């Protein structure tokens, strides 16, 4: 009896360690994903100069890759509810790494756009799969788990431009970072295959992985319901605003405010530093009404963008505002958008909940750069910032009024506060 107890304890410890290692590897893979996508923005002026791209073409290349992420949302969510999530993650990392490695080989706009799209497809499937995994395995603590993923994303956004700019300078070409990140992605795919346990990646939401999850009859049977419509709208607005800012912000700093390459890269990196606030935000999101957090995120993003494009011209001021955009638009909005859609569907639809986020967020993100470039052409940089980054978040605030939290899968403490008092 004693031997069995000791043996069982060791097996439990080993299982816990395996889960910890697997989760850490998933976070690292998403960090690399963020570095991979972020490295393009500060190098865009050099790419634009070499290929003589217009501002419209540059804006489309900057954010158009997210169309690949968007296109994968629904099909990836469907597959994730039926196939091995770990296998899907591994394949997706290989796909986006090959797309990244091909970017320096582009002959012009058309094939570079295709390579960016391929990268987006891989990154989109990976993101959907990772959020489905943590949504199923951590269930009532999914927002905190998403906070760790958001922390990794923010760190990747912070490191990507700095490392990319340094590699480009050391190698004497903007192509060097893309080759490096492509190779690192292939290595990461192998690490995921070896280290992420199936007990974690294939967990069934709300049942084996979350004892006491309770009854789900109050949640609509269809994954396409009033709450997913409302939160899909908030996700779309978030994607338009955040990627509209990300895509051409370094270009704005260099061409409008005359920042040098290093200053623009550091400002872009500080967006990632702000995004790292996703961890404390995720902790809060499991304890309070997420609509409040999202309202704060929209209001903060709007005000920060107003200052960045209408008021601030100094280097230090832009550094502070870049951090705040990362905090509000990514740390707060992205973290909550990824989880509220999963909480708006039943556990067996967790993959489709993650897919709905990917679809709505990244369809909007895909056109955000082109839209912003067109607004710049018509209204100037300050006018474009006012329309797309300052006024648009009001639509996100309005969409929150459509949400019925009583029809969601909420943590017990939050649900108890929403019950009417008799």
């Amino acid at each position: 009896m004693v031997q069995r107890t000791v043996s069982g304890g060791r097996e439990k410890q080993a299982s816990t360690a395996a889960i910890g290692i697997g989760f850490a590897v998933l976070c690292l893979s998403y960090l690399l994903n963020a570095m991979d996508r972020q490295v393009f923005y500060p190098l865009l002026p050099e790419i634009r100069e070499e290929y003589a791209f217009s501002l419209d073409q540059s804006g489309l290349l900057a954010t158009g890759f997210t169309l690949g992420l968007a296109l994968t949302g629904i099909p990836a969510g469907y597959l994730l509810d039926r196939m091995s999530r770990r296998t899907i993650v591994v394949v997706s990392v290989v796909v986006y790494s090959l797309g990244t490695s091909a970017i320096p080989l582009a002959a012009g706009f058309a094939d570079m756009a295709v390579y960016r799209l391929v990268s987006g497809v891989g990154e989109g499937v990976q993101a959907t799969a990772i959020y489905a995994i943590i949504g199923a395995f951590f269930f009532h603590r999914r927002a905190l788990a998403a906070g760790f993923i958001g922390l990794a994303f923010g760190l990747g956004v912070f490191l990507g431009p700095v490392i990319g700019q340094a590699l480009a300078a050391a190698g004497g070409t903007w192509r060097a970072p893309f080759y490096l990140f492509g190779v690192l992605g292939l290595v990461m795919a192998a690490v995921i295959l070896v280290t992420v346990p199936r007990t974690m990646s294939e967990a069934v939401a709300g049942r084996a992985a979350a004892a006491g999850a309770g009854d789900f009859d109050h949640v609509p049977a269809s994954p396409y319901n009033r709450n997913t419509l409302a939160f899909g709208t908030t996700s779309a607005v978030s994607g338009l605003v955040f990627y509209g800012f990300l895509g051409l912000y370094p270009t704005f700093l260099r061409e409008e405010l005359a920042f040098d390459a290093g200053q623009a890269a550091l400002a872009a990196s500080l967006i990632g530093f702000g995004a790292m606030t996703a961890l404390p935000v995720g902790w809060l999101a499991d304890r309070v009404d997420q609509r409040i957090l999202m309202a704060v995120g929209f209001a903060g993003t709007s005000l920060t963008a107003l200052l960045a494009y209408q008021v601030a011209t100094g280097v230090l001021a832009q550094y502070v505002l870049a951090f705040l955009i990362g905090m509000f638009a990514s740390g707060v909005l992205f973290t909550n958008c990824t989880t509220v859609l999963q909480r708006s569907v039943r556990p067996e639809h967790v993959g489709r909940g993650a897919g709905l986020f990917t679809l709505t967020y990244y369809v909007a993100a895909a056109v955000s750069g082109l839209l912003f470039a067109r607004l710049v052409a018509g209204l100037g940089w300050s006018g474009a910032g006012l329309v797309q980054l300052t006024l648009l978040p009001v639509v996100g605030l309005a969409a929150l009024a459509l949400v019925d939290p009583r029809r969601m899968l909420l943590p017990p403490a939050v649900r108890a506060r929403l019950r009417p008092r008799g």
Side-chain angles (χ1 to χ4, degrees):
M1 178 67 71
V2 174
Q3 288 180 341
R4 287 183 180 178
T5 302
V6 172
S7 176
R10 288 175 178 172
E11 288 176 2
K12 184 176 181 180
Q13 289 178 352
S15 176
T16 301
I19 294 299
I21 292 171
F23 183 59
V25 167
L26 289 178
C27 289
L28 286 174
S29 74
Y30 205 61
L31 182 151
L32 183 61
N33 180 320
M35 292 175 67
D36 185 278
R37 68 175 76 173
Q38 188 71 11
V39 73
F40 190 86
Y41 304 130
L43 297 174
L44 183 56
E46 284 76 18
I47 297 172
R48 182 184 176 193
E49 181 180 2
E50 179 174 329
Y51 289 91
F53 292 150
S54 67
L55 187 61
D56 277 5
Q57 289 175 318
S58 300
L60 190 58
L61 284 173
T63 62
F65 81 101
T66 59
L67 179 60
L69 283 84
L71 292 173
T72 64
I74 296 300
Y78 180 84
L79 292 175
L80 285 163
D81 287 334
R82 288 162 172 78
M83 296 176 59
S84 167
R85 298 176 191 141
R86 183 178 64 181
T87 299
I88 292 174
V89 172
V90 170
V91 172
S92 66
V93 173
V94 171
V95 169
Y96 88 66
S97 299
L98 294 176
T100 295
S101 300
I103 289 172
L105 306 176
F109 174 78
D111 58 335
M112 186 178 289
V114 170
Y115 302 146
R116 290 282 285 166
L117 187 66
V118 170
S119 295
V121 167
E123 290 173 354
V125 174
Q126 183 200 14
T128 304
I130 287 177
Y131 279 105
I133 288 170
I134 65 172
F137 188 80
F138 293 102
F139 202 65
H140 283 321
R141 292 292 176 264
R142 67 182 71 187
L144 178 59
F148 278 98
I149 299 295
L151 175 65
F153 175 81
L155 185 57
V157 171
F158 176 75
L159 293 174
V162 174
I163 293 176
Q165 196 72 49
L167 287 170
T173 173
W174 60 265
R175 291 173 167 82
F178 294 96
Y179 290 132
L180 175 64
F181 286 126
V183 171
L184 289 177
L186 296 176
V187 173
M188 180 59 70
V191 174
I192 294 170
L193 186 62
V194 172
T195 60
V196 177
R198 290 184 59 82
T199 51
M200 177 185 183
S201 65
E202 315 310 321
V204 179
R207 291 173 172 80
D215 181 27
F216 311 120
D217 290 343
H218 64 285
V219 180
S222 171
Y224 311 108
N225 54 67
R226 168 180 163 178
N227 285 344
T228 56
L229 174 63
F231 285 131
T233 302
T234 63
S235 294
V237 171
S238 299
L240 274 171
V241 172
F242 188 42
Y243 275 85
F245 190 96
L246 277 179
L248 291 175
Y249 180 58
T251 304
F252 162 70
L253 294 178
R254 293 181 66 175
E255 297 186 2
E256 182 72 7
L257 300 186
F259 283 27
D260 63 36
Q263 290 171 329
L266 180 56
S269 293
L270 287 169
I271 296 173
F273 195 57
M276 292 168 65
T277 57
L279 184 56
V281 169
W283 181 85
L284 274 175
D286 285 326
R287 290 163 173 77
V288 302
D289 188 339
Q290 287 181 270
R291 294 173 299 170
I292 297 173
L293 293 177
M294 295 176 75
V296 170
F298 281 123
T301 298
S302 179
L303 178 59
T304 303
L306 179 68
L307 295 174
Y309 279 87
Q310 309 294 325
V311 179
T313 58
V315 174
L316 182 59
Q318 287 292 341
Y319 287 168
V320 172
L321 293 171
F323 170 85
L324 290 175
I325 278 287
M327 180 177 72
F328 289 120
S330 183
V332 177
L333 288 177
F334 187 89
T335 302
N336 282 280
C337 286
T338 57
T339 52
V340 289
L341 275 162
Q342 291 189 37
R343 283 176 166 159
S344 300
V345 300
R346 293 188 178 183
E348 59 268 25
H349 295 145
V350 65
R352 268 171 275 192
L356 281 170
F357 163 74
T358 303
L359 172 68
T360 54
Y361 189 89
Y362 289 112
V363 160
V367 300
S368 62
L370 178 59
L371 174 61
F372 198 78
R374 291 290 174 87
L375 289 172
V376 170
L379 303 173
W381 287 102
S382 60
L386 178 65
V387 172
Q388 186 166 337
L389 308 181
T390 299
L391 298 180
L392 193 58
V394 176
V395 178
L397 284 169
L400 291 174
L402 300 175
V403 175
D404 182 0
R406 297 168 300 177
R407 306 279 282 170
M408 295 175 62
L409 287 171
L410 300 176
V414 178
R415 175 164 291 281
R417 287 195 291 271
L418 291 174
R419 287 174 183 163
R421 295 180 181 179

